[in-house]
């Protein structure tokens, strides 16, 4: 027997439903207040629920609990989670304020502790490690670039 085909209406609904599903939502209006939320993949297909990621602890949690899956998504959530943490987390911002704005070594060491923590969320995730290594390299390059009036902290965190 030939396979039954989806009716036009059913096909249209399925396409619309899948096109509205986003694995993550990231916004950085004005460049200073990034926000990140991720689709809780443990709940689909029954529910479409997003989890806010305000800091590295939340990023670590959704990676570790497998609320997000897939090597590229894990890496992206770790990097963007770190970005959100550095830019908006009051505790992180306060701790960064304890360092001289031009003490690149201290700032990079502080951020390194956060990336090391994120690595423990999925110790076998090669993409996660590669992305965090690349991000660390970019921050180190930014710190050593000639100053254009901006403190090194601003260059690193951007």
């Amino acid at each position: 027997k030939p396979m039954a085909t989806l009716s036009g209406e059913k096909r249209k609904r399925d396409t619309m439903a899948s096109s509205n599903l986003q694995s993550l939502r990231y916004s950085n209006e004005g460049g200073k207040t990034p926000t990140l939320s991720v689709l809780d993949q443990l709940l689909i297909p029954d529910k479409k629920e997003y989890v806010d990621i305000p800091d590295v602890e939340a990023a670590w949690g959704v990676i570790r609990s497998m609320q997000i899956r897939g090597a590229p998504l894990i890496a992206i959530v770790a990097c963007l989670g770190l970005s959100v943490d550095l830019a908006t987390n009051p505790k992180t911002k306060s701790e960064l304020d304890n360092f001289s704005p031009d003490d690149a070594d201290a700032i990079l060491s502080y951020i390194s502790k956060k990336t090391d923590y994120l690595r423990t969320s999925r110790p076998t995730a090669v993409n996660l490690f590669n992305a965090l290594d690349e991000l660390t390299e970019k921050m180190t390059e930014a710190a050593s670039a000639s100053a254009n009036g901006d403190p090194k902290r601003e260059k690193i965190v951007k």
Side-chain angles (χ1 to χ4, degrees):
K1 280 185 177 178
M3 287 181 58
T5 60
L6 291 174
S7 71
E9 185 60 35
K10 169 86 169 118
R11 195 174 319 115
K12 182 178 176 184
R13 272 195 321 248
D14 289 348
T15 302
M16 285 175 30
S18 66
S19 68
N20 292 332
L21 206 57
Q22 299 174 330
S23 296
L24 67 84
R25 294 177 175 165
Y26 177 77
S27 174
N28 194 3
E29 301 287 326
K32 296 206 183 230
T33 55
T35 60
L36 175 64
S37 61
V38 296
L39 179 65
D40 186 339
Q41 294 180 6
L42 294 175
L43 301 177
I44 53 176
D46 298 326
K47 287 184 184 176
K48 178 184 170 184
E49 194 172 295
Y50 287 85
V51 178
D52 289 333
I53 309 296
D55 51 38
V56 293
E57 289 79 9
W60 187 95
V62 296
I63 294 168
R64 183 66 167 206
S65 67
M66 296 186 70
Q67 286 173 285
I68 61 164
R69 298 183 192 146
L73 183 60
I74 290 167
I76 290 167
V77 168
C79 291
L80 291 178
L82 176 63
S83 172
V84 171
D85 183 272
L86 293 172
T88 64
N89 182 343
K91 181 180 179 213
T92 297
K93 290 174 77 172
S94 174
E95 289 172 351
L96 282 169
D97 285 342
N98 290 326
F99 305 116
S100 163
D102 285 314
D103 189 352
D105 290 338
I107 295 165
L108 290 170
S109 175
Y110 175 80
I111 295 171
S112 177
K113 290 176 185 158
K114 290 184 175 284
T115 61
D116 289 347
Y117 174 67
L118 285 165
R119 291 171 198 275
T120 67
S121 65
R122 194 78 58 87
T124 60
V126 173
N127 284 22
L128 169 65
F129 280 66
N130 290 343
L132 291 172
D133 288 344
E134 187 175 332
L135 184 61
T136 299
E137 184 180 315
K138 294 295 180 191
M139 288 187 290
T140 303
E141 288 172 10
S144 63
S146 61
N148 295 337
D150 286 337
K152 289 187 178 187
R153 173 182 165 182
E154 296 304 313
K155 294 176 126 192
I156 295 167
V157 173
K158 276 184 184 177

